[in-house]
Structures are given as structure tokens and as C-alpha cells.
């Protein structure tokens, strides 16, 4: 059994390295995630009976109801009581992301963000950087950071002519989006997974993350602004940034904004009041926004054009590839827990280290070279929620869960390859990883250190 655990760990570690180096090996990370996720479950089934008695003995005995254990009962228990839980959790996150991404795309295609391009028409480059960072942080706190990065990079590409300045602005967009994403439970796949699993609650999580995230982003922008001098080199023609064919009036755009952003803010309250999964609240907001858009555009476009409209334009980043990738990662992280590997790691760390800040440093290093989604999934499955001691770092809303989200976000921005958002920036702006490491990685480390210091002072 120990040999099988080592094989499973080796397969997943190799797959995570392949996913993190997608820019070099050119292998689709979604394909790697799905293949490795399925493969390790096949390997798990060879010793499923031993793993069940190791990790879930009480649940399995309750499932048997006094009957003898057989190969068929083991397979049925794995299929219906173990594997199905990870699939359901992954689908819950995916449905939420689909709904929120569609909400943002509907708002963008109807010209709701026109005002951003007008506000960003400033000449001072340092002031532009701070405004860009603030807007990115706010949007990413409400919608996942990958979608935010694609949106903001598109806006900067239409405004800024200088490639040197665009590279600097791209760096602040990425860091601001990652910190904004980990600031709220709906801002990123990683924090959303923590919320769905029940280890954090929206208000307590945001309250604990606010000061460290703000301190980090302020530190990074201060260090980054020293590289900017003079005015923004804008493109020669700056007349109209709205290419969405929107004909909505200003008051209709305001209604769209209030329903979209207000609805996203209401989702945690919806979950708290109804105890229903968060994705149902997101789907409710999406349906309401869709009805309102139909009312605003019905006479102008006609019902046929309304039905045919397609909002998910950025399918290269938000689409089936992301869905399959997340499912594959969830399957892989689930096997690590079910075979006992994460349990062994947790016991060793608690016995020999027992320091949350060291855990955070390890998580940051891992997420810098491995995608932060599997790192968060492994960190989440490694330690169970402490339901006895409310002051424990592993209790609901405990310090560990906040440190997990923060360190994986900052670690993911260290080398750009640790997040899907970083991969998007590399593709859009054609940045070199070596160039980024030479010029900006140390600034991320300093900003991360300041955030950890704030964590230490406030916790």
C-alpha cells in the first residue's frame, strides 16, 4: 500500500510540474489535469479496501450495515460516497464561475464599463498605475481574477502605446487581481472552494484578509511606481473604447451595474439565509440580469437577435478548458486525501514544525512553480476543520485558511506561471518569464513579506 501511495504522489507531482510549465512544454494543462486525475483514481482502486479502512473506517462500517465487506461493496462505497462528493463540490464551483463570468460579460457587452475608459484618460503614469490597481482590485473581488485580468489587459491595450509601460501595468494588474480575488469568497476559485467546503464565512474571511491584502498591494505599487516617469504614452487616437455595439442609455447601464454588482454582493447573504449552494444565488442574479437586458433590448434588436447573442467571447480562457482543468485538479487532490498521503504530511508538519507562518512560506514556494489551485486544494484537504477549539488556527475562519488563500495568491504571482491569470498575462502581453523574474519577482517577495507581517500584527 505504501508503494501505491508513493506512485500516486509521483504521478500527481509530475502532472503539476507539467501544468506549471505549460508555456514551455506546450501541453494543454486541462488535458494533463484530467488524465492525471482519472489515472490516480484508477491506481487508488487497486488498494481501495486498504485505503478505506485507513481513512474512512467508521463511514464504511456504517455503509455496510453489518454485512461483510466485498469487492463490490468497496467499489460501490468509493463511487457513491467518496468520488461523488468531490465531483459535486467541483461542479458547484464551476457553475458559480460560469454564472459570474457570464454576468461580467453581459455587463461588458452592454457598455457598462464605458466609464472606466473615461476615468483612465489621465496623463500622469504613476497616478494611472494606482487607479488601474484600484479598479482591478475592486472588480476582482467580485468576479474571478482570470476574467478580471482579461478585461483590464484589454482596456490597457487600447489606451497605452508604450510596450514598456504596458509591461509595468500588466504586473500591477496581475498582483492586484490575485489579491482582490483572495480578499473575498467570490473573487477566485481558491477562496470559493474554501467557502463551499465550509471552512470560512464571507464576512469573517474578508475582515481578516483586508489589511494584509491592502498592505501588500500598496507596497508592490510603491516599488513599481519608481519605474515610471512622466506621462502615459497613449495611442494617437483615443475616441471610443466601447466596441460592444451597445445602445443602452446611461440610466440603463446604471441599472445593469446595480443589478450585476449588487447581485454578486448579495450571494453570500443568499447562502446564509437559505443555506442553498452559492451557485444557485449566482444563477438567480444571472437570470434576473438576462431578463432586464431582454426588456431593454427587445424593441431595438428583436427577439431573434436576442436569443442568438453569445456572451462568452473569451472562451479561450473561460470555457470548457477551465471546467475540465478544475475537475481534474479536484480529482487529484481528492485522491491525495483518500489514500492518506495528506494525512501523513499533516501529522509530520504538526509534530516537527507546528508553525502557520512556515506553512505559508512553503505554500508560497509551491504555488510559485505549481498552479495555485491544486496547492490550495491540497492545503485544504491536509488539515480537518477543528470543531472543538474555536480559537484553533484550523477552526472555521481560523488563521490557517486565511494564510492559505493569501500565500497561494502571492506565490502564484511570483513567477507568473502559478496561476491561470498569470498565464493569460503572459499570452496577451508576450512577457518573458526570465525578464519578469529579474525585474519584478523581488518586489512580489517584499510585498508578500509585508502582508505576512500585517498578518502577524493583526492575529
Amino acid at each position: 500500500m505504501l508503494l501505491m501511495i508513493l506512485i500516486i504522489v509521483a504521478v500527481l507531482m509530475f502532472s503539476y510540474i507539467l501544468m506549471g510549465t505549460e508555456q514551455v512544454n506546450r501541453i494543454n494543462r486541462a488535458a494533463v489535469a484530467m488524465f492525471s486525475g482519472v489515472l490516480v483514481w484508477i491506481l487508488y482502486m487497486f488498494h481501495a479496501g486498504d485505503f478505506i479502512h485507513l481513512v474512512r473506517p467508521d463511514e464504511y462500517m456504517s455503509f455496510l450495515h453489518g454485512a461483510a465487506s466485498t469487492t463490490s461493496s468497496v467499489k460501490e462505497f468509493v463511487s457513491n460516497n467518496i468520488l461523488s462528493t468531490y465531483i459535486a463540490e467541483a461542479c458547484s464551483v464551476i457553475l458559480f464561475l460560469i454564472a459570474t463570468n457570464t454576468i461580467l460579460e453581459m455587463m461588458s457587452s452592454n457598455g457598462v464599463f464605458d466609464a472606466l475608459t473615461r476615468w483612465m484618460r489621465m496623463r500622469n503614469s504613476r497616478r494611472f498605475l494606482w487607479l488601474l490597481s484600484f479598479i482591478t482590485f475592486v472588480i476582482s473581488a467580485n468576479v474571478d481574477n482570470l476574467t478580471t485580468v482579461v478585461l483590464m489587459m484589454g482596456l490597457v491595450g487600447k489606451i497605452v502605446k508604450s510596450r514598456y509601460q504596458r509591461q509595468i501595468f500588466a504586473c500591477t494588474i496581475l498582483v492586484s487581481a490575485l489579491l482582490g480575488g483572495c480578499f473575498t469568497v467570490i473573487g477566485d476559485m481558491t477562496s470559493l472552494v474554501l467557502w463551499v467546503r465550509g471552512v470560512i464565512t464571507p464576512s469573517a474571511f474578508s475582515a481578516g484578509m483586508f489589511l494584509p491584502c491592502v498592505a501588500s498591494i500598496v507596497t508592490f505599487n510603491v516599488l513599481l511606481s519608481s519605474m515610471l516617469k512622466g506621462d502615459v504614452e497613449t495611442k494617437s487616437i483615443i475616441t471610443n473604447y466601447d466596441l460592444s455595439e451597445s445602445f443602452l442609455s446611461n440610466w440603463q447601464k446604471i441599472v445593469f451595474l446595480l443589478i450585476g454588482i449588487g447581485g454578486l454582493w448579495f450571494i453570500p447573504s443568499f447562502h446564509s439565509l437559505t443555506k442553498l449552494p452559492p451557485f444557485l444565488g449566482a444563477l438567480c442574479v444571472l437570470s434576473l440580469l438576462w431578463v432586464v437586458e431582454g426588456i431593454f433590448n427587445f424593441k431595438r434588436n428583436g427577439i431573434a437577435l436576442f436569443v442568438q447573442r453569445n456572451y462568452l467571447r473569451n472562451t479561450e480562457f473561460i470555457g470548457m478548458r477551465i471546467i475540465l482543468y478544475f475537475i481534474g485538479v479536484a480529482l487529484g487532490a481528492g485522491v491525495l486525501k483518500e489514500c492518506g498521503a495528506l494525512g501523513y504530511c499533516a501529522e509530520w508538519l504538526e509534530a516537527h514544525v507546528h508553525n502557520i507562518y512556515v506553512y505559508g512560506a512553503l505554500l508560497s514556494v509551491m504555488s510559485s512553480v505549481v498552479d495555485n489551485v491544486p496547492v490550495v486544494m491540497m492545503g485544504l484537504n491536509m488539515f480537518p476543520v477543528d470543531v472543538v477549539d474555536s480559537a484553533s488556527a484550523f477552526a472555521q475562519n481560523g488563521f490557517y485558511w486565511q494564510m492559505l488563500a493569501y500565500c497561494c495568491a502571492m506565490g502564484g504571482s511570483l513567477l507568473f506561471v502559478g496561476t491561470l491569470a498569470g498565464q493569460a498575462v503572459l499570452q496577451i502581453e508576450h512577457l518573458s518569464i526570465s525578464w519578469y523574474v529579474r525585474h519584478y519577482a523581488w518586489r512580489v517577495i517584499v510585498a508578500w513579506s509585508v502582508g505576512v507581517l500585517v498578518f502577524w500584527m493583526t492575529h
Side-chain angles (χ1 to χ4, degrees), residues 132-133 136-137 140 145-146 148-150 152-153 166-182 217 220-221 224 372 409-426 431 436 440 444:
L132 182 66
S133 176
T136 304
F137 183 87
S140 184
N145 50 41
L146 175 59
T148 304
V149 163
V150 175
M152 298 307 296
M153 289 293 294
R166 286 202 312 270
Q167 290 174 337
I168 297 176
F169 296 143
C171 295
T172 195
I173 286 175
L174 177 63
V175 175
S176 301
L178 293 177
L179 289 173
C182 74
I217 198 171
F220 184 76
N221 286 339
L224 203 61
N372 64 347
M410 290 302 291
S413 64
L414 183 60
L415 301 178
F416 258 75
V417 298
T419 63
L420 292 172
Q423 296 280 355
V425 172
L426 287 176
L431 296 178
Y436 173 83
Y440 297 101
V444 175

Side-chain angles (χ1 to χ4, degrees), residues 119-183:
W119 293 338
M120 293 169 65
R121 290 188 190 183
M122 57 180 59
R123 301 296 295 175
N124 187 283
S125 58
R126 294 184 179 181
R127 191 181 305 170
F128 182 87
L129 180 140
W130 283 96
L131 178 62
L132 182 66
S133 176
F134 173 76
I135 294 174
T136 304
F137 183 87
V138 172
I139 295 178
S140 184
N142 296 277
V143 186
D144 79 279
N145 50 41
L146 175 59
T147 306
T148 304
V149 163
V150 175
L151 173 67
M152 298 307 296
M153 289 293 294
L155 291 177
V156 170
K158 298 172 185 175
I159 298 174
V160 182
K161 178 181 179 181
S162 168
R163 173 172 170 77
Y164 172 76
Q165 291 184 338
R166 286 202 312 270
Q167 290 174 337
I168 297 176
F169 296 143
C171 295
T172 195
I173 286 175
L174 177 63
V175 175
S176 301
L178 293 177
L179 289 173
C182 74
F183 166 63

